[in-house]
Amino acid sequence: MIIAVDGPAASGKGTIARALAKHYGLPHLDTGLLYRAVALTVMRLGLDPAVEADAVAACDFDDRLLAEAELRSDPVGQVASIVSAHPLVRASLLQRQRRFAGQPGGAVLDGRDIGTVIAPQADAKLFVKASAQVRARRRYAELHAADPSLGFDKVLADIRARDARDSGRATAPLAQAPDAAPLDTSALSIEAAIARAIEIVEAQR
Ligand code: C5P
């Protein structure tokens, strides 16, 4: 069984995907980490993520990067959303994601284009969303402890900027697949969101 979980930043898709993987005993891939690894490589090489598209795509990142804590930082997320708009970057990561999805027994993948591009044949598809205010509040709660100088308005502006870039790009934009079930987590606890996600998968498979 392949389960595709897509949605914008801080929607809860990662938490839901991990919980589904545990529930069904399936391997899980957070595909955002791949784009973040390209972004961190670009940042360390001092390349301009917006213009040096070919060089960015050629960045064959070191898999050890996937375990680095810095990968999950907000600045890396912002650069990830810039490099991920390059069609060559997306093409360079496509096979790796399809191989993961094609494992015997299946897999859970979360990202922006799993149900639309990576695994359109998925057995279950969720599109996880929440209002920008709610997502910014979640992100702020996570980030503020580490950096007390960070203001809520900055976090909200960053979420909106990332939404606009991810939804507005020409190649594989963030979009709900026609056969994906929407799951709005704005007013749900984590437990309630996971329970609802399992109900949706059970109804679709
Ligand atoms: O999900 P996460 O916030 O880690 O993703 C970082 C960035 O990587 C996103 O803002 C998006 O631009 C890009 N991404 C993507 N396609 C995916 C997963 C992530 O374009 N499947």
Side-chain angles (χ1 to χ4, degrees):
M1 172 165 68
I2 300 175
I3 304 178
V5 183
D6 290 303
S11 58
K13 67 183 185 309
T15 304
I16 288 172
R18 270 192 303 279
L20 288 172
K22 189 164 174 230
H23 182 80
Y24 290 106
L26 295 170
H28 166 232
L29 179 64
D30 170 356
T31 63
L33 288 182
L34 305 178
Y35 293 93
R36 285 170 180 267
V38 175
L40 191 53
T41 306
V42 163
M43 291 161 86
R44 289 186 177 163
L45 290 174
L47 298 172
D48 179 342
V51 295
E52 293 175 278
D54 294 344
V56 170
C59 274
D60 202 9
F61 62 82
D62 181 339
D63 272 17
R64 280 173 299 186
L65 274 185
L66 296 173
E68 283 200 30
E70 193 187 348
L71 214 58
R72 296 170 193 276
S73 73
D74 229 38
V76 174
Q78 292 292 340
V79 174
S81 86
I82 297 170
V83 300
S84 71
H86 292 299
L88 290 173
V89 170
R90 306 202 71 82
S92 74
L93 298 175
L94 185 75
Q95 286 317 321
R96 184 180 182 140
Q97 296 173 80
R98 290 225 170 117
R99 258 200 316 277
F100 193 92
Q103 292 179 78
V108 181
L109 288 85
D110 76 82
R112 304 289 187 294
D113 63 341
I114 309 303
T116 51
V117 175
I118 303 297
Q121 81 285 17
D123 302 283
K125 295 185 186 179
L126 278 92
F127 192 80
V128 184
K129 48 192 178 178
S131 72
Q133 286 282 339
V134 166
R135 291 184 286 126
R137 247 182 271 135
R138 290 175 186 159
R139 215 12 88 79
Y140 179 73
E142 277 169 29
L143 299 175
H144 187 73
D147 178 8
S149 70
L150 188 70
F152 175 78
D153 290 349
K154 163 92 171 82
V155 176
L156 180 60
D158 283 354
I159 289 253
R160 291 212 160 110
R162 201 128 78 87
D163 282 357
R165 272 202 298 271
D166 288 350
S167 307
R169 68 181 176 226
T171 310
L174 169 67
Q176 184 176 333
D179 53 350
L183 173 51
D184 190 330
T185 65
S186 302
L188 298 180
S189 66
I190 292 175
E191 295 72 24
I194 291 170
R196 182 73 196 115
I198 293 172
E199 276 174 19
I200 291 172
V201 171
E202 286 301 308
Q204 287 189 350
R205 67 192 295 210

